[in-house]
Amino acid sequence: MKSLWLFSAALLLASPQMPMQAQTQTQHQNFRIDKVQRSQRTQLSDKKSFRLSYTPTPDPIPLNQHFRIRVQVQSAANKLLDGAVLTVDATMPEHNHGMNVKPKVKALGKGVYEIQGFLFHMAGYWEIAINVQHGGKREKVIFGATVAMKPTEHHGNHH
Amino acid sequence: MSLGLQAKALTTTLLLGLLLSACQPPGQNADGSATFLPAERELIFSLTPLGEPPPNPSNRYADKADAARLGQQLFYDARLSGKGNLSCASCHNPALGWSDGRPKAVGISTGTRNSPTLWNVSHQRWLFWDGRADSLWAQSIQPLESPLEMGATRTGLYQTFQREADLKQAYQKVFGPMPVSRSAINQSTDWKSLPEADKVAVNRFVSHLGKAFEAFERKLVSGESDFDRFARGLRDNDPKLQKAMSVDAQLGLRLFIGRAQCVLCHSGPNFSDGEFHNLGLPAIPGVAADEGRHAGIQAVLADPLNSLGRFSDADPDDTWADKLRYLSQHNSNRGEFRTPTLREVEHSGPYMHDGRFSNLEQVIAFYNTPEVHTPALGRREDTLQPLRLSAEEIKQLSAFLKSLSSGPPAVALTKPPA
């Protein structure tokens, strides 16, 4: 958390802000998402029973194109877990909107699950929330990811 | 802290934090024109050049010249309307930015929505303001059959093509023999009474008409705009090309990608993310609220001509149809509309799904103070925040939007093919 604050503050100082805008931005500083922590691709679930790691394809997550992720589900003691039920959603917490699609989950075995059908249509910070149900437990993991606008390549369309 | 407040707090600060902070006050050259920082240049280059329309594997005729020619012929042919007096061009007039200059479309009677431009429409992922069609070919049957628009029926069209030798011949040149219906079909055939096989034959026929319309519409792409030229000048370090945009327009561009945050939704080279947002436009007294995307999702999933249906030419597992495969309806879709392109926008007013704004300055004035309006339906996305633009800055943004024009369409496209 602290690092994020420092980062924003550094930006404000480093850039030649006009006084008025600097002020509005300062007023806007009272939010709390630990993006740095959440952007780690391995996370423990909220009650610490599961450890999830993910990789997107393509990597990094592209703006406004379908992508899929592979998630490895382990117990906290690093045992690969098959037979887990995953439910998934993704939102932009800063904009109060989410995806317009509903991803589908497929178990690939050896604790790996593929989730297809993601589409992040806006640049910025997204959160993928995965609910894991296994062995009578139901816990939540949140992965954060920041999607960037990229210069066009050759043809310049975004599909 | 509530999500809404968090969102408010966060939007301006971090999302484009780097850019925003990079933008003010603008680095300026002696003549007042902008010097753009690396982060700004990245964003500018994400908007240009427009490029070719993306492939559409669900239409195997999409890039065939003879299909485009047929589509062009049909686009201007009033025999396709119920009363023989309206064509697509009645509302998508090439001289009016492929639109009609009216707040709401007028066909057989007045509709509830604004006629959108067809400029660059092949770059869109979803069609209509509510995205109730997922391809241009599936889209085109709807105006033909709308009782407010052209007032034809698909069985009536089938008979028209059987009857009019030139139409039938033109069709057969591209698609081969017309699909055969075993039931007799005429202008008053009741669709519901047709056996399934004949419905399929007629649907195959109208999907072919649609595929020809799409082939034509794929030609309606903008040329290089002043903005594209400017950006090319920026990329190649060519000061002369950079003069393509006035100083005002350059400062408007800086606002567009920076403090005004327009680029969050009007993203990519077509200036549209192709998706849906609730801007929280206020209700208009006496006008029923428009569900927008919420109803559109239901409609596209139920459409027999959608990209997962039997009339699509794509392989069943083609990822092109993923947009439909993973589509789901949420409550938050109420009151959402698709982000329109901003290319050529100067020529396609009035603006918004209901044509409520007659000029660009009015649109920008709305974005400047969204918080003073109560949304007609649902909840305004927190992406929109008060912008505190001065009158001068509104003028600059508007100058930028006007730099997205590339001149009139090629004359050859503005009338039936020779």
PDB file of all heavy atoms in Angstrom, chain A residues 15-17 28 31 64 94-96 100-102 116 124 150 152 155-156 159, chain B residues 7 9-10 12 15 21 24-25 48 51 123 125 269 273 326 379 382-383:
ATOM      1  N   SER A  15       5.884  15.992 -11.844  1.00  0.00           N
ATOM      2  CA  SER A  15       5.321  16.554 -13.066  1.00  0.00           C
ATOM      3  C   SER A  15       4.947  18.003 -12.851  1.00  0.00           C
ATOM      4  O   SER A  15       4.584  18.409 -11.759  1.00  0.00           O
ATOM      5  CB  SER A  15       4.095  15.747 -13.452  1.00  0.00           C
ATOM      6  OG  SER A  15       3.222  15.751 -12.347  1.00  0.00           O
ATOM      7  N   PRO A  16       5.032  18.766 -13.891  1.00  0.00           N
ATOM      8  CA  PRO A  16       4.761  20.192 -13.762  1.00  0.00           C
ATOM      9  C   PRO A  16       3.269  20.470 -13.671  1.00  0.00           C
ATOM     10  O   PRO A  16       2.661  20.984 -14.593  1.00  0.00           O
ATOM     11  CB  PRO A  16       5.355  20.764 -15.056  1.00  0.00           C
ATOM     12  CG  PRO A  16       5.304  19.631 -16.037  1.00  0.00           C
ATOM     13  CD  PRO A  16       5.350  18.364 -15.264  1.00  0.00           C
ATOM     14  N   GLN A  17       2.655  20.091 -12.568  1.00  0.00           N
ATOM     15  CA  GLN A  17       1.217  20.280 -12.414  1.00  0.00           C
ATOM     16  C   GLN A  17       0.858  21.753 -12.292  1.00  0.00           C
ATOM     17  O   GLN A  17       1.553  22.518 -11.659  1.00  0.00           O
ATOM     18  CB  GLN A  17       0.749  19.582 -11.137  1.00  0.00           C
ATOM     19  CG  GLN A  17       0.841  18.098 -11.196  1.00  0.00           C
ATOM     20  CD  GLN A  17      -0.253  17.524 -12.065  1.00  0.00           C
ATOM     21  OE1 GLN A  17      -1.274  18.166 -12.271  1.00  0.00           O
ATOM     22  NE2 GLN A  17      -0.028  16.347 -12.584  1.00  0.00           N
ATOM     23  N   HIS A  28      -8.042  13.275  -4.407  1.00  0.00           N
ATOM     24  CA  HIS A  28      -8.450  11.952  -4.872  1.00  0.00           C
ATOM     25  C   HIS A  28      -7.583  10.828  -4.328  1.00  0.00           C
ATOM     26  O   HIS A  28      -7.712   9.706  -4.751  1.00  0.00           O
ATOM     27  CB  HIS A  28      -8.418  11.921  -6.399  1.00  0.00           C
ATOM     28  CG  HIS A  28      -9.604  12.603  -6.990  1.00  0.00           C
ATOM     29  ND1 HIS A  28      -9.958  12.476  -8.310  1.00  0.00           N
ATOM     30  CD2 HIS A  28     -10.522  13.413  -6.440  1.00  0.00           C
ATOM     31  CE1 HIS A  28     -11.040  13.189  -8.535  1.00  0.00           C
ATOM     32  NE2 HIS A  28     -11.393  13.781  -7.427  1.00  0.00           N
ATOM     33  N   PHE A  31      -7.982   6.478  -1.566  1.00  0.00           N
ATOM     34  CA  PHE A  31      -8.491   5.152  -1.886  1.00  0.00           C
ATOM     35  C   PHE A  31      -7.450   4.147  -1.434  1.00  0.00           C
ATOM     36  O   PHE A  31      -6.303   4.492  -1.194  1.00  0.00           O
ATOM     37  CB  PHE A  31      -8.692   5.015  -3.396  1.00  0.00           C
ATOM     38  CG  PHE A  31      -7.419   5.164  -4.140  1.00  0.00           C
ATOM     39  CD1 PHE A  31      -6.647   4.040  -4.439  1.00  0.00           C
ATOM     40  CD2 PHE A  31      -6.950   6.414  -4.499  1.00  0.00           C
ATOM     41  CE1 PHE A  31      -5.437   4.182  -5.082  1.00  0.00           C
ATOM     42  CE2 PHE A  31      -5.739   6.544  -5.134  1.00  0.00           C
ATOM     43  CZ  PHE A  31      -4.980   5.441  -5.431  1.00  0.00           C
ATOM     44  N   ASN A  64      -8.709  -5.036 -25.171  1.00  0.00           N
ATOM     45  CA  ASN A  64      -9.833  -5.221 -26.091  1.00  0.00           C
ATOM     46  C   ASN A  64      -9.685  -6.402 -27.041  1.00  0.00           C
ATOM     47  O   ASN A  64     -10.109  -6.340 -28.196  1.00  0.00           O
ATOM     48  CB  ASN A  64     -10.070  -3.923 -26.879  1.00  0.00           C
ATOM     49  CG  ASN A  64     -11.556  -3.680 -27.094  1.00  0.00           C
ATOM     50  OD1 ASN A  64     -12.383  -4.541 -26.804  1.00  0.00           O
ATOM     51  ND2 ASN A  64     -11.901  -2.524 -27.599  1.00  0.00           N
ATOM     52  N   GLU A  94     -12.181   0.771 -10.142  1.00  0.00           N
ATOM     53  CA  GLU A  94     -12.190   2.233 -10.161  1.00  0.00           C
ATOM     54  C   GLU A  94     -13.319   2.807 -11.001  1.00  0.00           C
ATOM     55  O   GLU A  94     -13.562   3.995 -10.975  1.00  0.00           O
ATOM     56  CB  GLU A  94     -10.858   2.744 -10.719  1.00  0.00           C
ATOM     57  CG  GLU A  94      -9.684   2.179  -9.973  1.00  0.00           C
ATOM     58  CD  GLU A  94      -8.404   2.209 -10.796  1.00  0.00           C
ATOM     59  OE1 GLU A  94      -8.395   2.773 -11.902  1.00  0.00           O
ATOM     60  OE2 GLU A  94      -7.413   1.656 -10.328  1.00  0.00           O
ATOM     61  N   HIS A  95     -13.951   1.982 -11.807  1.00  0.00           N
ATOM     62  CA  HIS A  95     -14.951   2.513 -12.740  1.00  0.00           C
ATOM     63  C   HIS A  95     -16.328   1.924 -12.513  1.00  0.00           C
ATOM     64  O   HIS A  95     -17.232   2.136 -13.284  1.00  0.00           O
ATOM     65  CB  HIS A  95     -14.531   2.220 -14.185  1.00  0.00           C
ATOM     66  CG  HIS A  95     -13.281   2.912 -14.586  1.00  0.00           C
ATOM     67  ND1 HIS A  95     -13.282   4.039 -15.365  1.00  0.00           N
ATOM     68  CD2 HIS A  95     -11.990   2.654 -14.297  1.00  0.00           C
ATOM     69  CE1 HIS A  95     -12.035   4.437 -15.548  1.00  0.00           C
ATOM     70  NE2 HIS A  95     -11.232   3.618 -14.909  1.00  0.00           N
ATOM     71  N   ASN A  96     -16.469   1.123 -11.508  1.00  0.00           N
ATOM     72  CA  ASN A  96     -17.690   0.368 -11.245  1.00  0.00           C
ATOM     73  C   ASN A  96     -18.283  -0.238 -12.501  1.00  0.00           C
ATOM     74  O   ASN A  96     -19.446  -0.149 -12.779  1.00  0.00           O
ATOM     75  CB  ASN A  96     -18.719   1.199 -10.451  1.00  0.00           C
ATOM     76  CG  ASN A  96     -19.557   2.136 -11.289  1.00  0.00           C
ATOM     77  OD1 ASN A  96     -19.089   3.157 -11.775  1.00  0.00           O
ATOM     78  ND2 ASN A  96     -20.802   1.774 -11.493  1.00  0.00           N
ATOM     79  N   ASN A 100     -18.159  -7.523 -20.176  1.00  0.00           N
ATOM     80  CA  ASN A 100     -19.446  -7.797 -20.786  1.00  0.00           C
ATOM     81  C   ASN A 100     -19.534  -9.253 -21.223  1.00  0.00           C
ATOM     82  O   ASN A 100     -20.391  -9.612 -22.011  1.00  0.00           O
ATOM     83  CB  ASN A 100     -19.660  -6.856 -21.969  1.00  0.00           C
ATOM     84  CG  ASN A 100     -19.663  -5.411 -21.521  1.00  0.00           C
ATOM     85  OD1 ASN A 100     -20.281  -5.081 -20.519  1.00  0.00           O
ATOM     86  ND2 ASN A 100     -18.942  -4.553 -22.221  1.00  0.00           N
ATOM     87  N   VAL A 101     -18.617 -10.055 -20.748  1.00  0.00           N
ATOM     88  CA  VAL A 101     -18.594 -11.465 -21.129  1.00  0.00           C
ATOM     89  C   VAL A 101     -18.510 -12.311 -19.859  1.00  0.00           C
ATOM     90  O   VAL A 101     -18.136 -11.825 -18.794  1.00  0.00           O
ATOM     91  CB  VAL A 101     -17.375 -11.792 -22.017  1.00  0.00           C
ATOM     92  CG1 VAL A 101     -17.521 -11.154 -23.376  1.00  0.00           C
ATOM     93  CG2 VAL A 101     -16.082 -11.345 -21.360  1.00  0.00           C
ATOM     94  N   LYS A 102     -18.869 -13.575 -19.997  1.00  0.00           N
ATOM     95  CA  LYS A 102     -18.784 -14.485 -18.866  1.00  0.00           C
ATOM     96  C   LYS A 102     -17.835 -15.618 -19.236  1.00  0.00           C
ATOM     97  O   LYS A 102     -18.135 -16.442 -20.088  1.00  0.00           O
ATOM     98  CB  LYS A 102     -20.170 -15.043 -18.561  1.00  0.00           C
ATOM     99  CG  LYS A 102     -20.170 -15.912 -17.338  1.00  0.00           C
ATOM    100  CD  LYS A 102     -21.560 -15.991 -16.706  1.00  0.00           C
ATOM    101  CE  LYS A 102     -21.498 -16.676 -15.360  1.00  0.00           C
ATOM    102  NZ  LYS A 102     -20.601 -15.989 -14.409  1.00  0.00           N
ATOM    103  N   GLN A 116     -11.542 -19.426 -20.234  1.00  0.00           N
ATOM    104  CA  GLN A 116     -11.580 -18.812 -21.563  1.00  0.00           C
ATOM    105  C   GLN A 116     -12.638 -17.724 -21.614  1.00  0.00           C
ATOM    106  O   GLN A 116     -13.640 -17.808 -20.924  1.00  0.00           O
ATOM    107  CB  GLN A 116     -11.947 -19.862 -22.612  1.00  0.00           C
ATOM    108  CG  GLN A 116     -11.058 -21.077 -22.600  1.00  0.00           C
ATOM    109  CD  GLN A 116     -11.493 -22.089 -23.645  1.00  0.00           C
ATOM    110  OE1 GLN A 116     -12.617 -22.035 -24.126  1.00  0.00           O
ATOM    111  NE2 GLN A 116     -10.593 -22.999 -23.981  1.00  0.00           N
ATOM    112  N   GLY A 124      -6.338   0.207 -18.123  1.00  0.00           N
ATOM    113  CA  GLY A 124      -6.321   0.549 -16.717  1.00  0.00           C
ATOM    114  C   GLY A 124      -6.245  -0.686 -15.846  1.00  0.00           C
ATOM    115  O   GLY A 124      -5.882  -1.767 -16.300  1.00  0.00           O
ATOM    116  N   LYS A 150      -1.539   0.209 -26.580  1.00  0.00           N
ATOM    117  CA  LYS A 150      -0.296   0.014 -27.328  1.00  0.00           C
ATOM    118  C   LYS A 150      -0.401   0.706 -28.683  1.00  0.00           C
ATOM    119  O   LYS A 150      -1.472   0.727 -29.276  1.00  0.00           O
ATOM    120  CB  LYS A 150      -0.082  -1.483 -27.563  1.00  0.00           C
ATOM    121  CG  LYS A 150       0.230  -2.262 -26.301  1.00  0.00           C
ATOM    122  CD  LYS A 150       1.747  -2.335 -26.099  1.00  0.00           C
ATOM    123  CE  LYS A 150       2.121  -2.794 -24.707  1.00  0.00           C
ATOM    124  NZ  LYS A 150       1.563  -4.084 -24.370  1.00  0.00           N
ATOM    125  N   THR A 152      -0.460   1.109 -32.591  1.00  0.00           N
ATOM    126  CA  THR A 152      -0.956   0.157 -33.580  1.00  0.00           C
ATOM    127  C   THR A 152       0.220  -0.505 -34.278  1.00  0.00           C
ATOM    128  O   THR A 152       1.296   0.070 -34.393  1.00  0.00           O
ATOM    129  CB  THR A 152      -1.789   0.859 -34.652  1.00  0.00           C
ATOM    130  OG1 THR A 152      -0.981   1.892 -35.218  1.00  0.00           O
ATOM    131  CG2 THR A 152      -3.045   1.447 -34.070  1.00  0.00           C
ATOM    132  N   HIS A 155      -1.379  -2.539 -39.422  1.00  0.00           N
ATOM    133  CA  HIS A 155      -2.728  -2.237 -39.880  1.00  0.00           C
ATOM    134  C   HIS A 155      -3.526  -1.448 -38.877  1.00  0.00           C
ATOM    135  O   HIS A 155      -4.535  -0.860 -39.207  1.00  0.00           O
ATOM    136  CB  HIS A 155      -3.467  -3.519 -40.226  1.00  0.00           C
ATOM    137  CG  HIS A 155      -2.923  -4.134 -41.460  1.00  0.00           C
ATOM    138  ND1 HIS A 155      -2.912  -3.460 -42.649  1.00  0.00           N
ATOM    139  CD2 HIS A 155      -2.342  -5.317 -41.686  1.00  0.00           C
ATOM    140  CE1 HIS A 155      -2.354  -4.219 -43.565  1.00  0.00           C
ATOM    141  NE2 HIS A 155      -1.986  -5.351 -43.004  1.00  0.00           N
ATOM    142  N   GLY A 156      -3.120  -1.509 -37.653  1.00  0.00           N
ATOM    143  CA  GLY A 156      -3.750  -0.655 -36.682  1.00  0.00           C
ATOM    144  C   GLY A 156      -5.197  -0.959 -36.369  1.00  0.00           C
ATOM    145  O   GLY A 156      -5.944  -0.063 -36.053  1.00  0.00           O
ATOM    146  N   HIS A 159      -8.843  -5.659 -33.341  1.00  0.00           N
ATOM    147  CA  HIS A 159      -9.699  -6.835 -33.137  1.00  0.00           C
ATOM    148  C   HIS A 159      -8.899  -8.102 -32.944  1.00  0.00           C
ATOM    149  O   HIS A 159      -7.878  -8.265 -33.558  1.00  0.00           O
ATOM    150  CB  HIS A 159     -10.656  -6.991 -34.326  1.00  0.00           C
ATOM    151  CG  HIS A 159     -11.683  -5.903 -34.361  1.00  0.00           C
ATOM    152  ND1 HIS A 159     -12.992  -6.082 -33.988  1.00  0.00           N
ATOM    153  CD2 HIS A 159     -11.553  -4.612 -34.680  1.00  0.00           C
ATOM    154  CE1 HIS A 159     -13.636  -4.940 -34.107  1.00  0.00           C
ATOM    155  NE2 HIS A 159     -12.787  -4.033 -34.524  1.00  0.00           N
TER     156      HIS A 159
ATOM    157  N   ALA B   7     -13.928   4.539  -6.490  1.00  0.00           N
ATOM    158  CA  ALA B   7     -13.776   4.685  -7.924  1.00  0.00           C
ATOM    159  C   ALA B   7     -13.519   6.141  -8.269  1.00  0.00           C
ATOM    160  O   ALA B   7     -12.601   6.477  -8.997  1.00  0.00           O
ATOM    161  CB  ALA B   7     -15.033   4.196  -8.610  1.00  0.00           C
ATOM    162  N   ALA B   9     -12.396   8.420  -6.456  1.00  0.00           N
ATOM    163  CA  ALA B   9     -11.115   8.873  -5.960  1.00  0.00           C
ATOM    164  C   ALA B   9      -9.998   8.425  -6.879  1.00  0.00           C
ATOM    165  O   ALA B   9      -9.047   9.146  -7.135  1.00  0.00           O
ATOM    166  CB  ALA B   9     -10.895   8.304  -4.566  1.00  0.00           C
ATOM    167  N   LEU B  10     -10.174   7.227  -7.382  1.00  0.00           N
ATOM    168  CA  LEU B  10      -9.072   6.612  -8.085  1.00  0.00           C
ATOM    169  C   LEU B  10      -8.944   7.080  -9.516  1.00  0.00           C
ATOM    170  O   LEU B  10      -7.846   7.205 -10.041  1.00  0.00           O
ATOM    171  CB  LEU B  10      -9.303   5.109  -8.061  1.00  0.00           C
ATOM    172  CG  LEU B  10      -8.086   4.281  -8.308  1.00  0.00           C
ATOM    173  CD1 LEU B  10      -7.055   4.594  -7.249  1.00  0.00           C
ATOM    174  CD2 LEU B  10      -8.464   2.821  -8.214  1.00  0.00           C
ATOM    175  N   THR B  12      -9.122   9.718 -11.467  1.00  0.00           N
ATOM    176  CA  THR B  12      -8.220  10.753 -11.936  1.00  0.00           C
ATOM    177  C   THR B  12      -6.787  10.497 -11.504  1.00  0.00           C
ATOM    178  O   THR B  12      -5.853  10.817 -12.209  1.00  0.00           O
ATOM    179  CB  THR B  12      -8.647  12.141 -11.414  1.00  0.00           C
ATOM    180  OG1 THR B  12     -10.031  12.097 -11.191  1.00  0.00           O
ATOM    181  CG2 THR B  12      -8.297  13.219 -12.412  1.00  0.00           C
ATOM    182  N   LEU B  15      -5.204   6.007 -12.884  1.00  0.00           N
ATOM    183  CA  LEU B  15      -5.422   5.267 -14.106  1.00  0.00           C
ATOM    184  C   LEU B  15      -4.536   5.809 -15.210  1.00  0.00           C
ATOM    185  O   LEU B  15      -3.761   5.110 -15.821  1.00  0.00           O
ATOM    186  CB  LEU B  15      -6.874   5.346 -14.507  1.00  0.00           C
ATOM    187  CG  LEU B  15      -7.025   4.582 -15.785  1.00  0.00           C
ATOM    188  CD1 LEU B  15      -6.907   3.107 -15.516  1.00  0.00           C
ATOM    189  CD2 LEU B  15      -8.306   4.916 -16.428  1.00  0.00           C
ATOM    190  N   SER B  21      -0.307  13.507 -15.393  1.00  0.00           N
ATOM    191  CA  SER B  21       0.678  14.373 -14.788  1.00  0.00           C
ATOM    192  C   SER B  21       1.658  14.869 -15.843  1.00  0.00           C
ATOM    193  O   SER B  21       2.226  15.932 -15.718  1.00  0.00           O
ATOM    194  CB  SER B  21       1.411  13.628 -13.682  1.00  0.00           C
ATOM    195  OG  SER B  21       1.896  12.413 -14.194  1.00  0.00           O
ATOM    196  N   GLN B  24       0.158  18.518 -17.933  1.00  0.00           N
ATOM    197  CA  GLN B  24      -0.134  19.893 -17.589  1.00  0.00           C
ATOM    198  C   GLN B  24       1.027  20.553 -16.898  1.00  0.00           C
ATOM    199  O   GLN B  24       1.626  19.934 -16.032  1.00  0.00           O
ATOM    200  CB  GLN B  24      -1.363  19.956 -16.688  1.00  0.00           C
ATOM    201  CG  GLN B  24      -2.623  19.724 -17.449  1.00  0.00           C
ATOM    202  CD  GLN B  24      -3.262  18.418 -17.074  1.00  0.00           C
ATOM    203  OE1 GLN B  24      -2.908  17.843 -16.055  1.00  0.00           O
ATOM    204  NE2 GLN B  24      -4.174  17.946 -17.882  1.00  0.00           N
ATOM    205  N   PRO B  25       1.320  21.779 -17.161  1.00  0.00           N
ATOM    206  CA  PRO B  25       0.786  22.477 -18.329  1.00  0.00           C
ATOM    207  C   PRO B  25       1.480  21.947 -19.562  1.00  0.00           C
ATOM    208  O   PRO B  25       2.588  21.421 -19.453  1.00  0.00           O
ATOM    209  CB  PRO B  25       1.174  23.943 -18.067  1.00  0.00           C
ATOM    210  CG  PRO B  25       2.405  23.830 -17.211  1.00  0.00           C
ATOM    211  CD  PRO B  25       2.292  22.559 -16.425  1.00  0.00           C
ATOM    212  N   THR B  48      -3.958   5.524 -34.485  1.00  0.00           N
ATOM    213  CA  THR B  48      -3.703   5.757 -35.901  1.00  0.00           C
ATOM    214  C   THR B  48      -2.617   4.829 -36.411  1.00  0.00           C
ATOM    215  O   THR B  48      -1.752   4.449 -35.616  1.00  0.00           O
ATOM    216  CB  THR B  48      -3.274   7.235 -36.121  1.00  0.00           C
ATOM    217  OG1 THR B  48      -2.938   7.430 -37.498  1.00  0.00           O
ATOM    218  CG2 THR B  48      -2.059   7.604 -35.274  1.00  0.00           C
ATOM    219  N   GLY B  51      -6.241   1.568 -40.671  1.00  0.00           N
ATOM    220  CA  GLY B  51      -6.008   0.189 -41.108  1.00  0.00           C
ATOM    221  C   GLY B  51      -7.211  -0.428 -41.804  1.00  0.00           C
ATOM    222  O   GLY B  51      -8.283   0.165 -41.885  1.00  0.00           O
ATOM    223  N   HIS B 123     -15.426  -1.853 -38.700  1.00  0.00           N
ATOM    224  CA  HIS B 123     -14.478  -1.976 -37.586  1.00  0.00           C
ATOM    225  C   HIS B 123     -15.192  -2.255 -36.268  1.00  0.00           C
ATOM    226  O   HIS B 123     -14.537  -2.433 -35.245  1.00  0.00           O
ATOM    227  CB  HIS B 123     -13.634  -0.706 -37.454  1.00  0.00           C
ATOM    228  CG  HIS B 123     -12.562  -0.600 -38.503  1.00  0.00           C
ATOM    229  ND1 HIS B 123     -11.257  -0.961 -38.276  1.00  0.00           N
ATOM    230  CD2 HIS B 123     -12.610  -0.204 -39.789  1.00  0.00           C
ATOM    231  CE1 HIS B 123     -10.532  -0.774 -39.371  1.00  0.00           C
ATOM    232  NE2 HIS B 123     -11.343  -0.317 -40.307  1.00  0.00           N
ATOM    233  N   ARG B 125     -17.436  -4.283 -33.496  1.00  0.00           N
ATOM    234  CA  ARG B 125     -17.631  -5.675 -33.066  1.00  0.00           C
ATOM    235  C   ARG B 125     -19.121  -6.016 -33.000  1.00  0.00           C
ATOM    236  O   ARG B 125     -19.526  -7.144 -33.227  1.00  0.00           O
ATOM    237  CB  ARG B 125     -16.999  -5.816 -31.679  1.00  0.00           C
ATOM    238  CG  ARG B 125     -17.079  -7.182 -31.064  1.00  0.00           C
ATOM    239  CD  ARG B 125     -16.463  -7.166 -29.661  1.00  0.00           C
ATOM    240  NE  ARG B 125     -15.016  -7.108 -29.698  1.00  0.00           N
ATOM    241  CZ  ARG B 125     -14.258  -6.335 -28.907  1.00  0.00           C
ATOM    242  NH1 ARG B 125     -14.815  -5.550 -28.005  1.00  0.00           N
ATOM    243  NH2 ARG B 125     -12.961  -6.336 -29.012  1.00  0.00           N
ATOM    244  N   PRO B 269      -7.797   2.711 -33.194  1.00  0.00           N
ATOM    245  CA  PRO B 269      -7.808   3.559 -34.386  1.00  0.00           C
ATOM    246  C   PRO B 269      -9.193   3.908 -34.916  1.00  0.00           C
ATOM    247  O   PRO B 269      -9.332   4.822 -35.717  1.00  0.00           O
ATOM    248  CB  PRO B 269      -7.022   2.755 -35.422  1.00  0.00           C
ATOM    249  CG  PRO B 269      -6.821   1.417 -34.849  1.00  0.00           C
ATOM    250  CD  PRO B 269      -7.095   1.432 -33.392  1.00  0.00           C
ATOM    251  N   ASP B 273     -14.111   1.552 -28.408  1.00  0.00           N
ATOM    252  CA  ASP B 273     -13.728   0.266 -27.835  1.00  0.00           C
ATOM    253  C   ASP B 273     -14.671  -0.832 -28.308  1.00  0.00           C
ATOM    254  O   ASP B 273     -14.496  -1.996 -27.962  1.00  0.00           O
ATOM    255  CB  ASP B 273     -13.698   0.337 -26.298  1.00  0.00           C
ATOM    256  CG  ASP B 273     -15.040   0.748 -25.701  1.00  0.00           C
ATOM    257  OD1 ASP B 273     -16.009   0.940 -26.466  1.00  0.00           O
ATOM    258  OD2 ASP B 273     -15.116   0.881 -24.466  1.00  0.00           O
ATOM    259  N   TYR B 326     -19.232 -16.107 -25.141  1.00  0.00           N
ATOM    260  CA  TYR B 326     -19.034 -15.768 -23.728  1.00  0.00           C
ATOM    261  C   TYR B 326     -19.891 -14.590 -23.269  1.00  0.00           C
ATOM    262  O   TYR B 326     -19.715 -14.080 -22.169  1.00  0.00           O
ATOM    263  CB  TYR B 326     -17.555 -15.457 -23.471  1.00  0.00           C
ATOM    264  CG  TYR B 326     -16.663 -16.631 -23.787  1.00  0.00           C
ATOM    265  CD1 TYR B 326     -15.812 -16.617 -24.877  1.00  0.00           C
ATOM    266  CD2 TYR B 326     -16.704 -17.783 -22.998  1.00  0.00           C
ATOM    267  CE1 TYR B 326     -15.003 -17.701 -25.179  1.00  0.00           C
ATOM    268  CE2 TYR B 326     -15.908 -18.871 -23.296  1.00  0.00           C
ATOM    269  CZ  TYR B 326     -15.060 -18.821 -24.385  1.00  0.00           C
ATOM    270  OH  TYR B 326     -14.271 -19.899 -24.669  1.00  0.00           O
ATOM    271  N   ARG B 379     -27.058   3.206 -13.741  1.00  0.00           N
ATOM    272  CA  ARG B 379     -26.087   3.963 -12.974  1.00  0.00           C
ATOM    273  C   ARG B 379     -24.982   4.425 -13.912  1.00  0.00           C
ATOM    274  O   ARG B 379     -24.492   3.643 -14.719  1.00  0.00           O
ATOM    275  CB  ARG B 379     -25.500   3.010 -11.934  1.00  0.00           C
ATOM    276  CG  ARG B 379     -24.575   3.620 -10.927  1.00  0.00           C
ATOM    277  CD  ARG B 379     -24.226   2.513  -9.902  1.00  0.00           C
ATOM    278  NE  ARG B 379     -23.348   2.915  -8.831  1.00  0.00           N
ATOM    279  CZ  ARG B 379     -22.216   3.585  -8.944  1.00  0.00           C
ATOM    280  NH1 ARG B 379     -21.809   3.994 -10.122  1.00  0.00           N
ATOM    281  NH2 ARG B 379     -21.484   3.854  -7.881  1.00  0.00           N
ATOM    282  N   ASP B 382     -18.445   5.300 -13.366  1.00  0.00           N
ATOM    283  CA  ASP B 382     -17.578   6.274 -12.703  1.00  0.00           C
ATOM    284  C   ASP B 382     -16.414   6.732 -13.574  1.00  0.00           C
ATOM    285  O   ASP B 382     -15.658   7.615 -13.185  1.00  0.00           O
ATOM    286  CB  ASP B 382     -17.044   5.705 -11.384  1.00  0.00           C
ATOM    287  CG  ASP B 382     -18.133   5.647 -10.331  1.00  0.00           C
ATOM    288  OD1 ASP B 382     -19.059   6.478 -10.420  1.00  0.00           O
ATOM    289  OD2 ASP B 382     -18.071   4.787  -9.448  1.00  0.00           O
ATOM    290  N   THR B 383     -16.283   6.099 -14.730  1.00  0.00           N
ATOM    291  CA  THR B 383     -15.284   6.587 -15.682  1.00  0.00           C
ATOM    292  C   THR B 383     -15.519   8.065 -15.983  1.00  0.00           C
ATOM    293  O   THR B 383     -14.580   8.815 -16.212  1.00  0.00           O
ATOM    294  CB  THR B 383     -15.389   5.792 -16.997  1.00  0.00           C
ATOM    295  OG1 THR B 383     -15.533   4.410 -16.682  1.00  0.00           O
ATOM    296  CG2 THR B 383     -14.176   6.007 -17.863  1.00  0.00           C
TER     297      THR B 383
END
